[in-house]
Amino acid sequence: MDPLLRSELIRYGEMAQSCYDAFDYDPFSYYFGGCRFPRRAFLDSLHLTRHGYDVTRYLYATANIRLPNFFTKSRWPNLWSPKANWIGYVAVSDDETSRVLGRRDIAIAWRGTVTRLEWLADLMNYLKPVDGKKIPSRDPRVKVQSGFVDLYTEKDDSCHFCKYSAREQVLTEVKRLTEKYDGAGEEVSITITGHSLGSALATLSAYDIAETGLNLPAPICVFSFSGPRVGNVRFKERLDFLGVKVLSRAVTRPVSV
């Protein structure tokens, strides 16, 4: 394998893995369903400082699925958030790493399936037009899996952490960072990674960033680890047209049209 490609696979693979390593699985923890580490100490806590990135924002998601006895409950009476789950983060390369890379890299890492509601979202594999969830599309034939797009776009006004959807959170941060560094005359890239469900969210958010036009002149690349099928053929063709590069070790399953 090309050594540069190998190093990139390791870098973004470890970022995807960090989303699992940092997730709080402990039902006796007040922060059950959240991140075990504060944002500024995130990479230090996971011994990933050698990658040379700074985490700029945590991402949260909710699933508005109303089924009795389906929530995994914490033992704490007053949980940090009864409706939100920590789903990933946005990071940006520091000055030294940017000099080595030759660009300012904005990295987005999405967590894979952990909670019961996320497993249910995985199983909601019927396709729906992407523009039905307020994601722009110039082709009405572009369709994506319902569970993935719902998790990406849903929000709850009563919840502090998911008052804005995961989509709104990531687009806001990418817009802020691209304007900051592109405005300073730096070359910018956007790299998105994730495993399983995280891979699907990585592909969907890459499409969204490109279609919305937030990437400016920045190239977008997805490192997809064991990712399921996200959309139909028109979705794939639209990704190619927009110039999004997806490096994938994929698993597929039937998707109804």
Side-chain angles (χ1 to χ4, degrees), residues 19 23 33-35 39 42 55-62 80 84-91 107-111 118 151-152 161-162 164-174 192-193 201-202 205 209:
C19 293
F23 189 73
C35 182
R39 177 175 61 82
F42 181 86
V55 176
T56 63
R57 181 164 186 163
Y58 277 171
L59 303 173
Y60 299 89
T62 188
W80 68 280
N85 278 305
W86 181 76
I87 198 75
Y89 61 90
V90 181
I108 306 166
W110 294 97
R111 177 177 54 75
E118 290 162 0
L151 195 63
Y152 181 61
F161 292 93
C162 52
Y164 299 100
S165 67
R167 175 182 188 260
E168 291 170 328
Q169 294 167 48
V170 75
L171 291 187
T172 298
E173 187 63 7
V174 169
I192 315 176
T193 185
L201 293 173
S205 57
I209 292 168

mmCIF file of all heavy atoms in Angstrom, residues 19 23 33-35 39 42 55-62 80 84-91 107-111 118 151-152 161-162 164-174 192-193 201-202 205 209:
data_model
loop_
_atom_site.group_PDB
_atom_site.id
_atom_site.type_symbol
_atom_site.label_atom_id
_atom_site.label_comp_id
_atom_site.label_asym_id
_atom_site.label_seq_id
_atom_site.Cartn_x
_atom_site.Cartn_y
_atom_site.Cartn_z
ATOM 1 N N CYS A 19 -14.657 8.139 18.335
ATOM 2 C CA CYS A 19 -16.058 8.426 18.657
ATOM 3 C C CYS A 19 -16.666 7.313 19.506
ATOM 4 O O CYS A 19 -17.556 7.570 20.331
ATOM 5 C CB CYS A 19 -16.865 8.607 17.378
ATOM 6 S SG CYS A 19 -16.437 10.069 16.420
ATOM 7 N N PHE A 23 -17.384 7.692 23.883
ATOM 8 C CA PHE A 23 -18.808 7.654 24.220
ATOM 9 C C PHE A 23 -19.014 7.064 25.614
ATOM 10 O O PHE A 23 -18.369 6.082 25.992
ATOM 11 C CB PHE A 23 -19.560 6.812 23.184
ATOM 12 C CG PHE A 23 -21.061 6.868 23.310
ATOM 13 C CD1 PHE A 23 -21.756 8.004 22.941
ATOM 14 C CD2 PHE A 23 -21.777 5.782 23.788
ATOM 15 C CE1 PHE A 23 -23.136 8.067 23.034
ATOM 16 C CE2 PHE A 23 -23.155 5.830 23.894
ATOM 17 C CZ PHE A 23 -23.844 6.974 23.517
ATOM 18 N N GLY A 33 -24.632 8.489 27.517
ATOM 19 C CA GLY A 33 -25.083 8.939 26.201
ATOM 20 C C GLY A 33 -24.345 10.147 25.689
ATOM 21 O O GLY A 33 -24.579 10.586 24.557
ATOM 22 N N GLY A 34 -23.434 10.691 26.512
ATOM 23 C CA GLY A 34 -22.654 11.848 26.104
ATOM 24 C C GLY A 34 -21.208 11.472 25.846
ATOM 25 O O GLY A 34 -20.878 10.309 25.630
ATOM 26 N N CYS A 35 -20.341 12.455 25.871
ATOM 27 C CA CYS A 35 -18.915 12.230 25.684
ATOM 28 C C CYS A 35 -18.229 12.217 27.041
ATOM 29 O O CYS A 35 -18.552 13.018 27.926
ATOM 30 C CB CYS A 35 -18.315 13.323 24.806
ATOM 31 S SG CYS A 35 -16.550 13.098 24.463
ATOM 32 N N ARG A 39 -14.308 18.927 25.562
ATOM 33 C CA ARG A 39 -13.866 19.136 24.183
ATOM 34 C C ARG A 39 -12.383 19.493 24.091
ATOM 35 O O ARG A 39 -11.652 18.943 23.261
ATOM 36 C CB ARG A 39 -14.712 20.242 23.537
ATOM 37 C CG ARG A 39 -14.298 20.593 22.115
ATOM 38 C CD ARG A 39 -15.238 21.605 21.496
ATOM 39 N NE ARG A 39 -15.266 22.859 22.218
ATOM 40 C CZ ARG A 39 -14.363 23.837 22.067
ATOM 41 N NH1 ARG A 39 -13.342 23.684 21.229
ATOM 42 N NH2 ARG A 39 -14.468 24.955 22.753
ATOM 43 N N PHE A 42 -10.173 16.448 24.591
ATOM 44 C CA PHE A 42 -10.636 15.244 23.906
ATOM 45 C C PHE A 42 -9.485 14.428 23.317
ATOM 46 O O PHE A 42 -9.294 13.245 23.635
ATOM 47 C CB PHE A 42 -11.623 15.634 22.806
ATOM 48 C CG PHE A 42 -12.190 14.464 22.043
ATOM 49 C CD1 PHE A 42 -13.300 13.790 22.512
ATOM 50 C CD2 PHE A 42 -11.620 14.039 20.853
ATOM 51 C CE1 PHE A 42 -13.831 12.706 21.821
ATOM 52 C CE2 PHE A 42 -12.137 12.964 20.149
ATOM 53 C CZ PHE A 42 -13.244 12.301 20.642
ATOM 54 N N VAL A 55 -10.139 20.024 18.377
ATOM 55 C CA VAL A 55 -11.588 19.845 18.281
ATOM 56 C C VAL A 55 -12.264 21.192 18.508
ATOM 57 O O VAL A 55 -12.021 21.864 19.511
ATOM 58 C CB VAL A 55 -12.085 18.808 19.302
ATOM 59 C CG1 VAL A 55 -13.612 18.707 19.262
ATOM 60 C CG2 VAL A 55 -11.463 17.443 19.029
ATOM 61 N N THR A 56 -13.106 21.604 17.572
ATOM 62 C CA THR A 56 -13.747 22.914 17.653
ATOM 63 C C THR A 56 -15.222 22.846 18.047
ATOM 64 O O THR A 56 -15.778 23.821 18.538
ATOM 65 C CB THR A 56 -13.638 23.656 16.310
ATOM 66 O OG1 THR A 56 -14.347 22.920 15.298
ATOM 67 C CG2 THR A 56 -12.182 23.818 15.902
ATOM 68 N N ARG A 57 -15.852 21.673 17.823
ATOM 69 C CA ARG A 57 -17.275 21.566 18.173
ATOM 70 C C ARG A 57 -17.674 20.110 18.333
ATOM 71 O O ARG A 57 -17.234 19.246 17.578
ATOM 72 C CB ARG A 57 -18.157 22.211 17.091
ATOM 73 C CG ARG A 57 -19.653 22.156 17.417
ATOM 74 C CD ARG A 57 -20.464 23.098 16.588
ATOM 75 N NE ARG A 57 -21.855 23.135 17.014
ATOM 76 C CZ ARG A 57 -22.712 24.077 16.690
ATOM 77 N NH1 ARG A 57 -22.335 25.086 15.924
ATOM 78 N NH2 ARG A 57 -23.965 24.045 17.123
ATOM 79 N N TYR A 58 -18.503 19.849 19.355
ATOM 80 C CA TYR A 58 -19.140 18.546 19.505
ATOM 81 C C TYR A 58 -20.467 18.554 18.755
ATOM 82 O O TYR A 58 -21.128 19.595 18.633
ATOM 83 C CB TYR A 58 -19.400 18.247 20.984
ATOM 84 C CG TYR A 58 -18.206 17.689 21.737
ATOM 85 C CD1 TYR A 58 -18.239 17.550 23.121
ATOM 86 C CD2 TYR A 58 -17.047 17.290 21.077
ATOM 87 C CE1 TYR A 58 -17.162 17.030 23.822
ATOM 88 C CE2 TYR A 58 -15.972 16.775 21.759
ATOM 89 C CZ TYR A 58 -16.027 16.646 23.140
ATOM 90 O OH TYR A 58 -14.968 16.116 23.820
ATOM 91 N N LEU A 59 -20.862 17.375 18.279
ATOM 92 C CA LEU A 59 -22.113 17.221 17.542
ATOM 93 C C LEU A 59 -23.067 16.319 18.321
ATOM 94 O O LEU A 59 -22.642 15.308 18.888
ATOM 95 C CB LEU A 59 -21.843 16.618 16.163
ATOM 96 C CG LEU A 59 -20.855 17.386 15.274
ATOM 97 C CD1 LEU A 59 -20.551 16.588 14.012
ATOM 98 C CD2 LEU A 59 -21.408 18.774 14.922
ATOM 99 N N TYR A 60 -24.351 16.675 18.320
ATOM 100 C CA TYR A 60 -25.376 15.918 19.041
ATOM 101 C C TYR A 60 -26.533 15.624 18.100
ATOM 102 O O TYR A 60 -26.825 16.387 17.171
ATOM 103 C CB TYR A 60 -25.882 16.703 20.254
ATOM 104 C CG TYR A 60 -24.799 17.007 21.257
ATOM 105 C CD1 TYR A 60 -24.029 18.167 21.154
ATOM 106 C CD2 TYR A 60 -24.529 16.134 22.302
ATOM 107 C CE1 TYR A 60 -23.015 18.446 22.060
ATOM 108 C CE2 TYR A 60 -23.517 16.401 23.226
ATOM 109 C CZ TYR A 60 -22.769 17.561 23.087
ATOM 110 O OH TYR A 60 -21.768 17.828 23.996
ATOM 111 N N ALA A 61 -27.193 14.500 18.339
ATOM 112 C CA ALA A 61 -28.320 14.104 17.497
ATOM 113 C C ALA A 61 -29.441 13.571 18.377
ATOM 114 O O ALA A 61 -29.235 13.177 19.526
ATOM 115 C CB ALA A 61 -27.891 13.046 16.488
ATOM 116 N N THR A 62 -30.636 13.546 17.806
ATOM 117 C CA THR A 62 -31.784 12.973 18.490
ATOM 118 C C THR A 62 -32.581 12.153 17.485
ATOM 119 O O THR A 62 -32.448 12.327 16.278
ATOM 120 C CB THR A 62 -32.683 14.066 19.105
ATOM 121 O OG1 THR A 62 -33.696 13.461 19.912
ATOM 122 C CG2 THR A 62 -33.353 14.911 18.029
ATOM 123 N N TRP A 80 -28.008 14.374 32.035
ATOM 124 C CA TRP A 80 -27.522 15.600 31.390
ATOM 125 C C TRP A 80 -28.419 16.008 30.238
ATOM 126 O O TRP A 80 -28.631 17.191 29.992
ATOM 127 C CB TRP A 80 -26.086 15.397 30.893
ATOM 128 C CG TRP A 80 -25.974 14.425 29.758
ATOM 129 C CD1 TRP A 80 -25.980 13.066 29.836
ATOM 130 C CD2 TRP A 80 -25.877 14.734 28.365
ATOM 131 N NE1 TRP A 80 -25.887 12.495 28.593
ATOM 132 C CE2 TRP A 80 -25.812 13.490 27.663
ATOM 133 C CE3 TRP A 80 -25.814 15.909 27.631
ATOM 134 C CZ2 TRP A 80 -25.701 13.417 26.276
ATOM 135 C CZ3 TRP A 80 -25.705 15.841 26.252
ATOM 136 C CH2 TRP A 80 -25.659 14.608 25.587
ATOM 137 N N ALA A 84 -30.899 13.843 23.822
ATOM 138 C CA ALA A 84 -29.772 13.965 22.905
ATOM 139 C C ALA A 84 -28.735 12.875 23.156
ATOM 140 O O ALA A 84 -28.610 12.355 24.266
ATOM 141 C CB ALA A 84 -29.114 15.340 23.059
ATOM 142 N N ASN A 85 -28.003 12.537 22.113
ATOM 143 C CA ASN A 85 -26.828 11.683 22.212
ATOM 144 C C ASN A 85 -25.674 12.367 21.512
ATOM 145 O O ASN A 85 -25.852 12.992 20.452
ATOM 146 C CB ASN A 85 -27.079 10.318 21.571
ATOM 147 C CG ASN A 85 -27.814 9.373 22.493
ATOM 148 O OD1 ASN A 85 -27.381 9.130 23.613
ATOM 149 N ND2 ASN A 85 -28.930 8.853 22.035
ATOM 150 N N TRP A 86 -24.490 12.245 22.105
ATOM 151 C CA TRP A 86 -23.283 12.757 21.458
ATOM 152 C C TRP A 86 -22.989 11.875 20.252
ATOM 153 O O TRP A 86 -22.951 10.653 20.357
ATOM 154 C CB TRP A 86 -22.127 12.719 22.459
ATOM 155 C CG TRP A 86 -20.840 13.238 21.934
ATOM 156 C CD1 TRP A 86 -20.494 14.539 21.746
ATOM 157 C CD2 TRP A 86 -19.709 12.449 21.527
ATOM 158 N NE1 TRP A 86 -19.214 14.625 21.248
ATOM 159 C CE2 TRP A 86 -18.713 13.356 21.103
ATOM 160 C CE3 TRP A 86 -19.445 11.087 21.486
ATOM 161 C CZ2 TRP A 86 -17.472 12.928 20.636
ATOM 162 C CZ3 TRP A 86 -18.212 10.651 21.018
ATOM 163 C CH2 TRP A 86 -17.238 11.566 20.606
ATOM 164 N N ILE A 87 -22.781 12.494 19.080
ATOM 165 C CA ILE A 87 -22.696 11.721 17.836
ATOM 166 C C ILE A 87 -21.380 11.950 17.090
ATOM 167 O O ILE A 87 -21.114 11.285 16.090
ATOM 168 C CB ILE A 87 -23.906 12.052 16.919
ATOM 169 C CG1 ILE A 87 -24.112 10.992 15.836
ATOM 170 C CG2 ILE A 87 -23.763 13.449 16.323
ATOM 171 C CD1 ILE A 87 -24.711 9.719 16.322
ATOM 172 N N GLY A 88 -20.537 12.866 17.564
ATOM 173 C CA GLY A 88 -19.276 13.091 16.872
ATOM 174 C C GLY A 88 -18.715 14.476 17.131
ATOM 175 O O GLY A 88 -19.105 15.157 18.082
ATOM 176 N N TYR A 89 -17.808 14.901 16.257
ATOM 177 C CA TYR A 89 -17.146 16.185 16.483
ATOM 178 C C TYR A 89 -16.576 16.745 15.183
ATOM 179 O O TYR A 89 -16.426 16.033 14.184
ATOM 180 C CB TYR A 89 -16.036 16.050 17.522
ATOM 181 C CG TYR A 89 -14.925 15.084 17.145
ATOM 182 C CD1 TYR A 89 -13.800 15.525 16.446
ATOM 183 C CD2 TYR A 89 -14.996 13.734 17.502
ATOM 184 C CE1 TYR A 89 -12.785 14.645 16.109
ATOM 185 C CE2 TYR A 89 -13.983 12.848 17.167
ATOM 186 C CZ TYR A 89 -12.877 13.308 16.466
ATOM 187 O OH TYR A 89 -11.874 12.425 16.130
ATOM 188 N N VAL A 90 -16.270 18.040 15.235
ATOM 189 C CA VAL A 90 -15.563 18.721 14.145
ATOM 190 C C VAL A 90 -14.211 19.158 14.694
ATOM 191 O O VAL A 90 -14.120 19.647 15.818
ATOM 192 C CB VAL A 90 -16.342 19.953 13.645
ATOM 193 C CG1 VAL A 90 -15.594 20.637 12.496
ATOM 194 C CG2 VAL A 90 -17.752 19.563 13.211
ATOM 195 N N ALA A 91 -13.160 18.956 13.916
ATOM 196 C CA ALA A 91 -11.813 19.354 14.324
ATOM 197 C C ALA A 91 -11.116 20.029 13.148
ATOM 198 O O ALA A 91 -11.528 19.885 11.987
ATOM 199 C CB ALA A 91 -11.007 18.143 14.789
ATOM 200 N N ALA A 107 -11.785 18.369 9.701
ATOM 201 C CA ALA A 107 -12.153 16.959 9.829
ATOM 202 C C ALA A 107 -13.459 16.835 10.604
ATOM 203 O O ALA A 107 -13.664 17.520 11.615
ATOM 204 C CB ALA A 107 -11.053 16.174 10.541
ATOM 205 N N ILE A 108 -14.335 15.969 10.124
ATOM 206 C CA ILE A 108 -15.601 15.681 10.792
ATOM 207 C C ILE A 108 -15.653 14.185 11.047
ATOM 208 O O ILE A 108 -15.478 13.390 10.125
ATOM 209 C CB ILE A 108 -16.805 16.109 9.931
ATOM 210 C CG1 ILE A 108 -16.682 17.583 9.517
ATOM 211 C CG2 ILE A 108 -18.119 15.872 10.691
ATOM 212 C CD1 ILE A 108 -17.629 17.989 8.407
ATOM 213 N N ALA A 109 -15.862 13.801 12.299
ATOM 214 C CA ALA A 109 -15.923 12.381 12.660
ATOM 215 C C ALA A 109 -17.292 12.068 13.234
ATOM 216 O O ALA A 109 -17.769 12.777 14.132
ATOM 217 C CB ALA A 109 -14.832 12.034 13.675
ATOM 218 N N TRP A 110 -17.933 11.013 12.715
ATOM 219 C CA TRP A 110 -19.261 10.603 13.153
ATOM 220 C C TRP A 110 -19.187 9.248 13.862
ATOM 221 O O TRP A 110 -18.491 8.337 13.412
ATOM 222 C CB TRP A 110 -20.209 10.468 11.964
ATOM 223 C CG TRP A 110 -20.520 11.741 11.251
ATOM 224 C CD1 TRP A 110 -19.932 12.219 10.116
ATOM 225 C CD2 TRP A 110 -21.519 12.718 11.601
ATOM 226 N NE1 TRP A 110 -20.490 13.419 9.741
ATOM 227 C CE2 TRP A 110 -21.474 13.748 10.638
ATOM 228 C CE3 TRP A 110 -22.447 12.797 12.642
ATOM 229 C CZ2 TRP A 110 -22.317 14.852 10.680
ATOM 230 C CZ3 TRP A 110 -23.291 13.899 12.679
ATOM 231 C CH2 TRP A 110 -23.222 14.911 11.710
ATOM 232 N N ARG A 111 -19.926 9.117 14.938
ATOM 233 C CA ARG A 111 -19.973 7.859 15.677
ATOM 234 C C ARG A 111 -20.915 6.860 15.014
ATOM 235 O O ARG A 111 -21.929 7.236 14.432
ATOM 236 C CB ARG A 111 -20.432 8.126 17.126
ATOM 237 C CG ARG A 111 -20.580 6.873 17.965
ATOM 238 C CD ARG A 111 -20.951 7.195 19.394
ATOM 239 N NE ARG A 111 -22.131 8.021 19.528
ATOM 240 C CZ ARG A 111 -23.377 7.599 19.359
ATOM 241 N NH1 ARG A 111 -23.614 6.357 19.007
ATOM 242 N NH2 ARG A 111 -24.391 8.429 19.522
ATOM 243 N N GLU A 118 -30.785 4.279 17.564
ATOM 244 C CA GLU A 118 -29.926 4.319 16.384
ATOM 245 C C GLU A 118 -29.999 3.002 15.613
ATOM 246 O O GLU A 118 -29.971 2.991 14.380
ATOM 247 C CB GLU A 118 -28.492 4.634 16.801
ATOM 248 C CG GLU A 118 -28.324 6.072 17.285
ATOM 249 C CD GLU A 118 -27.061 6.293 18.082
ATOM 250 O OE1 GLU A 118 -26.292 5.324 18.270
ATOM 251 O OE2 GLU A 118 -26.843 7.427 18.525
ATOM 252 N N LEU A 151 -32.114 10.889 11.393
ATOM 253 C CA LEU A 151 -31.160 11.122 12.480
ATOM 254 C C LEU A 151 -30.325 12.366 12.215
ATOM 255 O O LEU A 151 -29.975 13.107 13.136
ATOM 256 C CB LEU A 151 -30.257 9.900 12.637
ATOM 257 C CG LEU A 151 -29.443 9.789 13.923
ATOM 258 C CD1 LEU A 151 -30.357 9.669 15.136
ATOM 259 C CD2 LEU A 151 -28.503 8.595 13.859
ATOM 260 N N TYR A 152 -30.024 12.623 10.961
ATOM 261 C CA TYR A 152 -29.196 13.758 10.561
ATOM 262 C C TYR A 152 -29.949 15.083 10.659
ATOM 263 O O TYR A 152 -29.349 16.125 10.943
ATOM 264 C CB TYR A 152 -28.725 13.521 9.129
ATOM 265 C CG TYR A 152 -27.824 14.575 8.542
ATOM 266 C CD1 TYR A 152 -26.588 14.874 9.104
ATOM 267 C CD2 TYR A 152 -28.200 15.262 7.382
ATOM 268 C CE1 TYR A 152 -25.756 15.833 8.544
ATOM 269 C CE2 TYR A 152 -27.377 16.206 6.812
ATOM 270 C CZ TYR A 152 -26.153 16.491 7.394
ATOM 271 O OH TYR A 152 -25.331 17.433 6.829
ATOM 272 N N PHE A 161 -29.243 20.490 23.861
ATOM 273 C CA PHE A 161 -28.196 19.932 23.020
ATOM 274 C C PHE A 161 -28.675 19.569 21.619
ATOM 275 O O PHE A 161 -27.855 19.439 20.707
ATOM 276 C CB PHE A 161 -27.582 18.705 23.697
ATOM 277 C CG PHE A 161 -26.810 19.033 24.934
ATOM 278 C CD1 PHE A 161 -27.415 19.003 26.173
ATOM 279 C CD2 PHE A 161 -25.481 19.401 24.861
ATOM 280 C CE1 PHE A 161 -26.702 19.316 27.319
ATOM 281 C CE2 PHE A 161 -24.756 19.724 26.003
ATOM 282 C CZ PHE A 161 -25.372 19.682 27.235
ATOM 283 N N CYS A 162 -29.970 19.360 21.444
ATOM 284 C CA CYS A 162 -30.471 19.046 20.099
ATOM 285 C C CYS A 162 -31.550 20.040 19.670
ATOM 286 O O CYS A 162 -32.454 19.698 18.920
ATOM 287 C CB CYS A 162 -30.970 17.607 20.010
ATOM 288 S SG CYS A 162 -32.160 17.119 21.278
ATOM 289 N N TYR A 164 -30.830 22.354 17.791
ATOM 290 C CA TYR A 164 -30.483 22.390 16.375
ATOM 291 C C TYR A 164 -30.121 20.976 15.942
ATOM 292 O O TYR A 164 -29.502 20.220 16.701
ATOM 293 C CB TYR A 164 -29.313 23.337 16.123
ATOM 294 C CG TYR A 164 -29.613 24.767 16.516
ATOM 295 C CD1 TYR A 164 -29.167 25.280 17.726
ATOM 296 C CD2 TYR A 164 -30.352 25.588 15.681
ATOM 297 C CE1 TYR A 164 -29.457 26.583 18.098
ATOM 298 C CE2 TYR A 164 -30.646 26.895 16.030
ATOM 299 C CZ TYR A 164 -30.200 27.384 17.244
ATOM 300 O OH TYR A 164 -30.486 28.670 17.604
ATOM 301 N N SER A 165 -30.493 20.601 14.746
ATOM 302 C CA SER A 165 -30.225 19.254 14.251
ATOM 303 C C SER A 165 -28.726 19.047 14.068
ATOM 304 O O SER A 165 -27.940 20.003 14.003
ATOM 305 C CB SER A 165 -30.948 19.034 12.926
ATOM 306 O OG SER A 165 -30.386 19.863 11.917
ATOM 307 N N ALA A 166 -28.334 17.769 13.959
ATOM 308 C CA ALA A 166 -26.924 17.472 13.666
ATOM 309 C C ALA A 166 -26.507 18.155 12.367
ATOM 310 O O ALA A 166 -25.378 18.642 12.241
ATOM 311 C CB ALA A 166 -26.723 15.965 13.580
ATOM 312 N N ARG A 167 -27.419 18.180 11.408
ATOM 313 C CA ARG A 167 -27.132 18.854 10.149
ATOM 314 C C ARG A 167 -26.823 20.335 10.363
ATOM 315 O O ARG A 167 -25.831 20.860 9.843
ATOM 316 C CB ARG A 167 -28.325 18.722 9.205
ATOM 317 C CG ARG A 167 -28.163 19.505 7.911
ATOM 318 C CD ARG A 167 -29.364 19.408 6.982
ATOM 319 N NE ARG A 167 -29.037 20.034 5.712
ATOM 320 C CZ ARG A 167 -29.414 21.274 5.369
ATOM 321 N NH1 ARG A 167 -30.153 21.993 6.190
ATOM 322 N NH2 ARG A 167 -29.052 21.761 4.189
ATOM 323 N N GLU A 168 -27.667 21.017 11.112
ATOM 324 C CA GLU A 168 -27.462 22.450 11.348
ATOM 325 C C GLU A 168 -26.168 22.700 12.117
ATOM 326 O O GLU A 168 -25.449 23.667 11.848
ATOM 327 C CB GLU A 168 -28.663 23.011 12.102
ATOM 328 C CG GLU A 168 -29.941 23.045 11.263
ATOM 329 C CD GLU A 168 -31.175 23.374 12.074
ATOM 330 O OE1 GLU A 168 -31.230 23.000 13.271
ATOM 331 O OE2 GLU A 168 -32.107 23.990 11.522
ATOM 332 N N GLN A 169 -25.878 21.832 13.067
ATOM 333 C CA GLN A 169 -24.653 21.988 13.847
ATOM 334 C C GLN A 169 -23.410 21.873 12.972
ATOM 335 O O GLN A 169 -22.497 22.699 13.050
ATOM 336 C CB GLN A 169 -24.611 20.941 14.951
ATOM 337 C CG GLN A 169 -25.677 21.076 16.014
ATOM 338 C CD GLN A 169 -25.772 19.837 16.876
ATOM 339 O OE1 GLN A 169 -24.762 19.318 17.354
ATOM 340 N NE2 GLN A 169 -26.983 19.330 17.063
ATOM 341 N N VAL A 170 -23.363 20.832 12.138
ATOM 342 C CA VAL A 170 -22.150 20.616 11.348
ATOM 343 C C VAL A 170 -22.022 21.652 10.244
ATOM 344 O O VAL A 170 -20.914 22.148 9.971
ATOM 345 C CB VAL A 170 -22.113 19.175 10.786
ATOM 346 C CG1 VAL A 170 -23.075 18.984 9.626
ATOM 347 C CG2 VAL A 170 -20.700 18.788 10.383
ATOM 348 N N LEU A 171 -23.122 22.048 9.612
ATOM 349 C CA LEU A 171 -23.033 23.056 8.557
ATOM 350 C C LEU A 171 -22.599 24.411 9.114
ATOM 351 O O LEU A 171 -21.814 25.131 8.485
ATOM 352 C CB LEU A 171 -24.373 23.200 7.837
ATOM 353 C CG LEU A 171 -24.840 22.034 6.969
ATOM 354 C CD1 LEU A 171 -26.100 22.408 6.208
ATOM 355 C CD2 LEU A 171 -23.756 21.579 6.008
ATOM 356 N N THR A 172 -23.101 24.755 10.286
ATOM 357 C CA THR A 172 -22.718 26.026 10.914
ATOM 358 C C THR A 172 -21.230 26.065 11.202
ATOM 359 O O THR A 172 -20.552 27.069 10.941
ATOM 360 C CB THR A 172 -23.508 26.236 12.219
ATOM 361 O OG1 THR A 172 -24.906 26.311 11.923
ATOM 362 C CG2 THR A 172 -23.072 27.511 12.920
ATOM 363 N N GLU A 173 -20.695 24.961 11.730
ATOM 364 C CA GLU A 173 -19.275 24.939 12.078
ATOM 365 C C GLU A 173 -18.390 24.899 10.835
ATOM 366 O O GLU A 173 -17.359 25.578 10.775
ATOM 367 C CB GLU A 173 -18.971 23.741 12.978
ATOM 368 C CG GLU A 173 -17.559 23.711 13.536
ATOM 369 C CD GLU A 173 -17.228 24.874 14.449
ATOM 370 O OE1 GLU A 173 -18.145 25.673 14.770
ATOM 371 O OE2 GLU A 173 -16.056 24.992 14.847
ATOM 372 N N VAL A 174 -18.778 24.129 9.826
ATOM 373 C CA VAL A 174 -17.995 24.085 8.592
ATOM 374 C C VAL A 174 -17.992 25.454 7.915
ATOM 375 O O VAL A 174 -16.953 25.917 7.426
ATOM 376 C CB VAL A 174 -18.546 23.006 7.641
ATOM 377 C CG1 VAL A 174 -17.928 23.137 6.251
ATOM 378 C CG2 VAL A 174 -18.261 21.619 8.195
ATOM 379 N N ILE A 192 -14.186 13.821 5.951
ATOM 380 C CA ILE A 192 -15.241 13.313 6.832
ATOM 381 C C ILE A 192 -15.063 11.813 6.987
ATOM 382 O O ILE A 192 -14.815 11.105 6.006
ATOM 383 C CB ILE A 192 -16.637 13.632 6.268
ATOM 384 C CG1 ILE A 192 -16.697 15.096 5.783
ATOM 385 C CG2 ILE A 192 -17.712 13.388 7.327
ATOM 386 C CD1 ILE A 192 -17.989 15.491 5.113
ATOM 387 N N THR A 193 -15.172 11.328 8.213
ATOM 388 C CA THR A 193 -14.930 9.925 8.467
ATOM 389 C C THR A 193 -15.965 9.352 9.425
ATOM 390 O O THR A 193 -16.609 10.093 10.183
ATOM 391 C CB THR A 193 -13.513 9.723 9.055
ATOM 392 O OG1 THR A 193 -13.237 8.329 9.193
ATOM 393 C CG2 THR A 193 -13.383 10.386 10.423
ATOM 394 N N LEU A 201 -23.583 8.708 7.865
ATOM 395 C CA LEU A 201 -23.706 10.135 8.174
ATOM 396 C C LEU A 201 -22.581 10.937 7.527
ATOM 397 O O LEU A 201 -22.787 12.078 7.111
ATOM 398 C CB LEU A 201 -23.699 10.337 9.690
ATOM 399 C CG LEU A 201 -24.915 9.778 10.440
ATOM 400 C CD1 LEU A 201 -24.717 9.888 11.953
ATOM 401 C CD2 LEU A 201 -26.192 10.499 10.023
ATOM 402 N N ALA A 202 -21.384 10.343 7.431
ATOM 403 C CA ALA A 202 -20.268 11.016 6.769
ATOM 404 C C ALA A 202 -20.579 11.246 5.292
ATOM 405 O O ALA A 202 -20.364 12.335 4.753
ATOM 406 C CB ALA A 202 -18.996 10.191 6.928
ATOM 407 N N SER A 205 -23.475 13.858 4.997
ATOM 408 C CA SER A 205 -23.049 15.223 5.293
ATOM 409 C C SER A 205 -22.104 15.749 4.213
ATOM 410 O O SER A 205 -22.114 16.950 3.914
ATOM 411 C CB SER A 205 -22.402 15.307 6.676
ATOM 412 O OG SER A 205 -21.299 14.430 6.796
ATOM 413 N N ILE A 209 -22.846 19.210 2.318
ATOM 414 C CA ILE A 209 -21.895 20.325 2.273
ATOM 415 C C ILE A 209 -21.613 20.726 0.828
ATOM 416 O O ILE A 209 -21.588 21.916 0.487
ATOM 417 C CB ILE A 209 -20.587 19.946 3.001
ATOM 418 C CG1 ILE A 209 -20.846 19.803 4.504
ATOM 419 C CG2 ILE A 209 -19.503 20.992 2.753
ATOM 420 C CD1 ILE A 209 -19.697 19.158 5.263
#
